[in-house]
């Protein structure tokens, strides 16, 4: 299983903070595509170019392989001031 978490505005727009899914997605990008296929809202939110992904609390490219036990987090860009 993989733990999927959504943070900040993504959590609000998708109305969920986390999911637990079977570890059947070869990459973070494949997981993103599968989640985006859930509905037009999910497609709009997760399809944004600005969405970032962290795997096991480290920002990674979308081509990063996933494995059983991974934590995958989707979040918007972070800005500071």
């Amino acid at each position: 299983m993989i733990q999927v978490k959504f943070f900040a505005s993504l959590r609000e727009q998708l109305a969920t903070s986390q999911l637990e899914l079977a570890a059947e997605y070869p990459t973070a990008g494949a997981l993103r595509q599968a989640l985006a296929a859930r509905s037009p809202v999910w497609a709009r939110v997760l399809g944004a170019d600005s969405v970032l992904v962290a795997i096991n609390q480290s920002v990674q490219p979308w081509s990063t392989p996933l494995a059983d036990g991974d934590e995958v987090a989707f979040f918007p860009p972070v800005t500071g001031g």
Side-chain angles (χ1 to χ4, degrees), residues 2 8-10 14-15 17 20-21 27 30 33-34 37-38 41 44 47 50 54-55 62 64 67 72 77-78:
I2 57 173
S9 61
L10 278 65
L14 298 174
S17 61
E20 186 173 82
L21 300 173
T27 65
Q33 289 178 333
R38 288 181 159 212
V41 171
R44 177 181 50 79
S50 60
I55 301 169
W62 293 106
T64 301
V72 181
V78 178

Side-chain angles (χ1 to χ4, degrees), residues 5-81:
K5 297 184 176 186
F6 304 96
F7 290 96
S9 61
L10 278 65
R11 176 179 55 221
E12 295 167 9
Q13 293 174 66
L14 298 174
T16 190
S17 61
Q18 64 183 12
L19 302 169
E20 186 173 82
L21 300 173
E24 60 187 26
Y25 306 96
T27 65
L31 172 60
R32 180 187 194 186
Q33 289 178 333
L35 292 172
R38 288 181 159 212
S39 78
V41 171
W42 285 69
R44 177 181 50 79
V45 172
L46 294 177
D49 290 338
S50 60
V51 172
L52 300 172
V53 66
I55 301 169
N56 300 321
Q57 302 180 1
S58 177
V59 176
Q60 299 291 328
W62 293 106
S63 60
T64 301
L66 296 179
D68 191 37
D70 281 346
E71 176 190 273
V72 181
F74 294 95
F75 58 99
V78 178
T79 60

